[in-house]
Each structure stands twice: as C-alpha cells, then as structure tokens.
Amino acid sequence: MTRIWNDPADFADEMIDGFVAANGRHVQRVSGGVVRSTEVPEGQVAVVIGGGSGHYPAFGGLVGQGLAHGAALGNLFASPSAQQVHAVARAADNGGGVLFTYGNYAGDVLNFDAAQERLRGEGVACATVAVTDDIFSAAPEERHKRRGIAGDLAVFRIAAAAAEAGHDLAGVERLARLANDRTRSFGVAFSGCTLPGAEEPLFSVPEGRMAIGLGIHGEPGIDETDVPTADGLAELLVAKLLDEVPAGVDVAGARAVPILNGLGSLKYEELFVVYRRVSQLLAAQGITIVDPHVGEYCTSFDMAGTSLTLLWLDEELEALWETPVDTPAYRRGSVDQAARRSENASAAIDAEAVPESDEASREVAGRVRAVLETIAATVDANVDELGRIDAIAGDGDHGIGMQRGAKAALAAGTIAAEAGAGAGTTLARAAAAWADKAGGTSGALWGVILTSVAERLGDSGKPAAAQVAAGVAAGARGVMDYGKAEIGDKTLVDALVPFSESLQRNTDAGADLRTAWTAAAEDATRAAKATADLLPRMGRARPHAEKSLGTPDPGAHSLALIATAIGGLLHPEGRNRNA
Ligand code: ADP
Ligand code: MG
C-alpha cells in the first residue's frame, strides 16, 4: 500500500516539488520536469531522460553531473506529454544537441518523438535511443519491441559519460545504442503495487507465488511459479540472462556490471542474500564482475520484486562506466563539483491572446464547452471501469489518464471561450491541454483527434455537419499516422475508424449532425465491443495479449462512451449543412 498523500490527483506534482526542495544542489525545476542545477560546458550534448512518476530514483533522481542533464517527469505511471519533453529538452540543451533516452513504452515513444520532431523543426539536433533491456517482454527477433526496466540506468550512464567525454551527438547516440545492445534484464514480482488513493492494487500475485516477467507499471507477469528460495531465485535470474547473451560476447572471460534492482518494497537485506548467490554463479561462469549494483534504481511504487540486469562491457563501455557521477540518488567516485547555475526563469505560461472570431463561431464555442463538459462527466462516471479494463492487460491508468486530460481540456476550453475565442481556438486550446495533462498514449492521441476537429471548425461562421465529419476523419488519419496502429490491432483505432466512416457516410447522405452522430456512435459502440475478440498488437497490452481476450480495448471503449454521450447532447440545429 502507498499510505501517505494529500489529494491523490496532486501526488506527482507535490512529489516533484518536495524532491526539488530537497535536492537543490543537483536539480532545479523547469516546466515539465527537472534539469541540472550545475553549469554544463557549452556545446556538450544534453542527455534527456524521462517517463512516468512512481519509479524513483528513475527519473528525476538520476539527473546530475555524470548522468542525465534533464528529466521530463510525467504523472504517475504516465508518459510526460510532448510539451513537457520539449520544455525540458529546451532547458537542458547546451548547444550540443539532445540525446533522448528512456524506456521503450508506447506513450513515451509517441511523446518523445513528437517533442523531437518539434525541436528538429526549431533547429535543435536530436537523436533517440529507447531502452529495450527486458528480455521477457518480446522475443529476441523483436528486440525493438521490448520495454525498458532497470537497464535504463546502464544506457543513461553510458550516454551521459559519452557526452561528458566530449563526444558529439552521433557519438553519444552510437555509444548509447551499444550499451543498449549489451544490456539485458529479467525480473520477478511477489506482489503488485497500489497507486496513491487507489483501493486495489494494479494487479496481485497470489500468496506464496511469484510472477515472472513483470513490468514496472504493474503490467501483470507472463508466467507464475511458487516463490523459490533466495538461491533458487538467483539461479533463475542468472540462467535466464545467460540464455540470451548478446552477440559478440564470450561468457567465459567476459566483464559485466550486474544490477540487482529492488522494485519498491523488497528489503536491501533480501537483495543482498540473493546477490550473494548471483555473484557466485557469475564467477563460476568465468565472468569478471565489475562495479556491482545492489539496490533500488528503478522502482514501481510499492511493488515487491526484483530484477537482474547485466551490462556486458567492452573496453569502450568500461572506460565510460568508470567515470564519476553525482546525482540525488546515485553517486559513483568523486566529481569535480561544477558551479551552480543561476535559476532558470522557468517558462511562464502566458495567457495567449485569443485570435479574432465572429459571433456565430463564439456561439459554437459555447457548444464546444458543453461538449467538453459532457466528455469530462462521462470519463468521471466511468473512471474506475476504464482503469479496471486497462489493468487486465495494460497498466491500469486509462481511467485516471482520461480524467486528467478531460478535466484539463474543459478548464482550458472554458478559459478560451470566456476570453471570446471562436469554436476552433476553444477546441484547439482544449486539445493542447488534454495532450499536455493526460500523459500516456491515449492522451497524445486524443490531442490529435481534437486538434484535427478544431482545425475544421475554424473561428468564423457556424460549421456544417460535413466539416465536423471531415475533422473527425482527419483525426482518425492523424491517429494512425502518429500511433502506427491499424484496424484490428486492438486499439482505439478500432472504434474511431468505424465511427468516422459512419459519420461521413451519414452526413454525405444528408443527415443532420445529431442523427449522423448518433448512428455513428452506435457503430463505434459495436466496434468497441468487438475488440474483446481481438489480440492487442500495439501499446502496453501487447506483451499480455492472451490476457486481454474477452475484454474490450480500454481506449476503444472510452471513445465509444464519449461519442455516445456527445450524441445525446447535440442539438438538431446541426442539420443546417450550409450555415
Ligand atoms: P498507456 O497505454 O500509455 O498507459 P492509456 O492507458 O491511457 O495509455 O491508453 C491505452 C489505450 O491507448 C489503449 O487501450 C489503446 O486504445 C490506445 N493505444 C495504445 N497504443 C496505441 C497506438 N499505437 N495507436 C492507437 N491507440 C493506441
Ligand atoms: Mg494505460
């Protein structure tokens, strides 16, 4: 159980405030996360890491000399938004370009990629190395689909050491990739984790049993056995990793860094008992152990569990590994303390003036606001259910993520509408707020959908039903471009595309918006239900494909619920297609 919080919705923000207050020697807060509070030489590549909160010391605790230059910090178990990543990278950049490195999760990939694209557009050189160390999350032929767990530390450290050593962006990227290619992890769990304020753990492991192949977001294990002895566990961990030694490594005579990671509520003493046997087993294979790590490097709230990571060194990696590090949570050797840098004026969120609009569009903006209210109310009423179905094969955050997004969208849309914005600007501001605050994959995708509709609404005149249908169609294309999911992959695309096609068909046939929308919402609902029979091929649920059979996709389900609720709200006045 997580026991202490104020309002659970504020937990991540308040946690970051306290973390920064306690660690001013290393970090300072910026919009979207933290950056080093110490000077960095001009032209040094900035290593920017990040991910959801709940994994301390990942990610904020790993910012400081010799390690990351900045960390984008999302909400609990939710990816930071593209805006957050962008803002942190901007603050961390020293003119040498930015290397992004983070665990390979769909939401993180979407948001970091979007930030990277934007930065490149602004002339900042960027590269990305997503960490894929968890050998149980995909087969060796699909290494690029594996997720990142405690091996994050190995890749972050090598990337940062390469940056400090003066490599350019291409050099830092090459070395980070080399580190990732030579890092493998494998983990187990004895109990699930419970988010602040949640009544139920995200998943549970039966008493006396051990889940194998856990994810750090509470994604359920892939297999289960009786809890072994400490020696038995050490044997399992080592055997699994020796089964998958990277190409080019000869085990006998190899040099490797072992990282035995505690996931949150395993005692250090227990870890040491396990490590005792791990070290014996590695030595028996003729492996020279370098700089062993036993402790908490990437946790999952209060999850009881552990993972073993091996970083198989070569000469180049070992030279980089030996360099000193000084961060709030992680120290190695002794660094020459860099001077403190002056506080960044953290980017104030200035209330942008609203562009001009006409009376008709402002009236529609009022309707947009009502739609946002309906969306927020619908999500509120279903938040537990959405979390529950996401927990079956995903990470259980779909309800809270949608809730944060919908609430932020309503707030931003209300401010814009009250400031006299037209319908397009009102919805565009709401879309940006949704993507920024929701985190997760679905947050970014809802931002895309709403932005596309907003573009078609414009700020003058009353939009025709066909414009709305065209906006939804553009949103569906945008989601598929951005998230790369196709029909049948068991994602929200499976509800969005039938919805969009039906809406288009009905408006083309001359139906008024309410009629067209209501029929389309029925199609979306049917399609969302039908996702229960599909196996997920995208997103977090993919490693647990079979578990999700019989349960609809959470993102498709929430989309259908929202479409249905909006249908109930729409006014027959939408009929006037040429208005
Ligand atoms: P996260 O997966 O980051 O935890 P959420 O739980 O909020 O985010 O949303 C999960 C939903 O996102 C899934 O049920 C699915 O509908 C949708 N999703 C995940 N990946 C993709 C993708 N690549 N394309 C479209 N939708 C996706
Ligand atoms: Mg989720």
Side-chain angles (χ1 to χ4, degrees), residues 390 395-398 540:
D390 189 31
D395 55 358
D397 65 350
H398 188 59
R540 285 191 209 288

PDB file of all heavy atoms in Angstrom, residues 390 395-398 540, ligand 2:
ATOM      1  N   ASP A 390      -8.135  -1.530 -18.265  1.00  0.00           N
ATOM      2  CA  ASP A 390      -6.738  -1.291 -18.671  1.00  0.00           C
ATOM      3  C   ASP A 390      -5.786  -2.147 -17.829  1.00  0.00           C
ATOM      4  O   ASP A 390      -4.725  -2.549 -18.295  1.00  0.00           O
ATOM      5  CB  ASP A 390      -6.393   0.194 -18.525  1.00  0.00           C
ATOM      6  CG  ASP A 390      -5.032   0.549 -19.125  1.00  0.00           C
ATOM      7  OD1 ASP A 390      -4.625  -0.115 -20.105  1.00  0.00           O
ATOM      8  OD2 ASP A 390      -4.390   1.483 -18.633  1.00  0.00           O
ATOM      9  N   ASP A 395      -1.694  -1.127 -17.941  1.00  0.00           N
ATOM     10  CA  ASP A 395      -1.125  -0.675 -16.678  1.00  0.00           C
ATOM     11  C   ASP A 395      -2.143  -0.009 -15.767  1.00  0.00           C
ATOM     12  O   ASP A 395      -1.775   0.536 -14.740  1.00  0.00           O
ATOM     13  CB  ASP A 395       0.037   0.283 -16.949  1.00  0.00           C
ATOM     14  CG  ASP A 395      -0.404   1.430 -17.847  1.00  0.00           C
ATOM     15  OD1 ASP A 395      -1.585   1.420 -18.259  1.00  0.00           O
ATOM     16  OD2 ASP A 395       0.394   2.313 -18.120  1.00  0.00           O
ATOM     17  N   GLY A 396      -3.417  -0.057 -16.124  1.00  0.00           N
ATOM     18  CA  GLY A 396      -4.447   0.390 -15.196  1.00  0.00           C
ATOM     19  C   GLY A 396      -4.644   1.883 -15.090  1.00  0.00           C
ATOM     20  O   GLY A 396      -5.392   2.343 -14.233  1.00  0.00           O
ATOM     21  N   ASP A 397      -3.992   2.660 -15.961  1.00  0.00           N
ATOM     22  CA  ASP A 397      -4.079   4.113 -15.790  1.00  0.00           C
ATOM     23  C   ASP A 397      -5.018   4.787 -16.786  1.00  0.00           C
ATOM     24  O   ASP A 397      -5.061   6.004 -16.861  1.00  0.00           O
ATOM     25  CB  ASP A 397      -2.684   4.739 -15.905  1.00  0.00           C
ATOM     26  CG  ASP A 397      -2.102   4.565 -17.308  1.00  0.00           C
ATOM     27  OD1 ASP A 397      -2.698   3.805 -18.106  1.00  0.00           O
ATOM     28  OD2 ASP A 397      -1.060   5.169 -17.588  1.00  0.00           O
ATOM     29  N   HIS A 398      -5.740   4.007 -17.562  1.00  0.00           N
ATOM     30  CA  HIS A 398      -6.525   4.649 -18.619  1.00  0.00           C
ATOM     31  C   HIS A 398      -7.607   5.567 -18.050  1.00  0.00           C
ATOM     32  O   HIS A 398      -7.844   6.650 -18.582  1.00  0.00           O
ATOM     33  CB  HIS A 398      -7.142   3.595 -19.545  1.00  0.00           C
ATOM     34  CG  HIS A 398      -7.790   4.209 -20.743  1.00  0.00           C
ATOM     35  ND1 HIS A 398      -7.095   4.994 -21.632  1.00  0.00           N
ATOM     36  CD2 HIS A 398      -9.083   4.200 -21.191  1.00  0.00           C
ATOM     37  CE1 HIS A 398      -7.928   5.427 -22.573  1.00  0.00           C
ATOM     38  NE2 HIS A 398      -9.130   4.958 -22.328  1.00  0.00           N
ATOM     39  N   ARG A 540       0.992  -1.005 -24.560  1.00  0.00           N
ATOM     40  CA  ARG A 540       1.447  -1.743 -23.402  1.00  0.00           C
ATOM     41  C   ARG A 540       0.829  -3.112 -23.273  1.00  0.00           C
ATOM     42  O   ARG A 540       1.358  -3.976 -22.596  1.00  0.00           O
ATOM     43  CB  ARG A 540       0.989  -1.010 -22.132  1.00  0.00           C
ATOM     44  CG  ARG A 540       1.745   0.202 -21.818  1.00  0.00           C
ATOM     45  CD  ARG A 540       1.313   0.584 -20.411  1.00  0.00           C
ATOM     46  NE  ARG A 540       1.393   2.013 -20.207  1.00  0.00           N
ATOM     47  CZ  ARG A 540       2.512   2.672 -20.093  1.00  0.00           C
ATOM     48  NH1 ARG A 540       3.646   2.048 -20.212  1.00  0.00           N
ATOM     49  NH2 ARG A 540       2.512   3.956 -19.873  1.00  0.00           N
TER      50      ARG A 540
HETATM   51 MG    MG B   2      -2.620   2.510 -19.645  1.00  0.00          MG
END
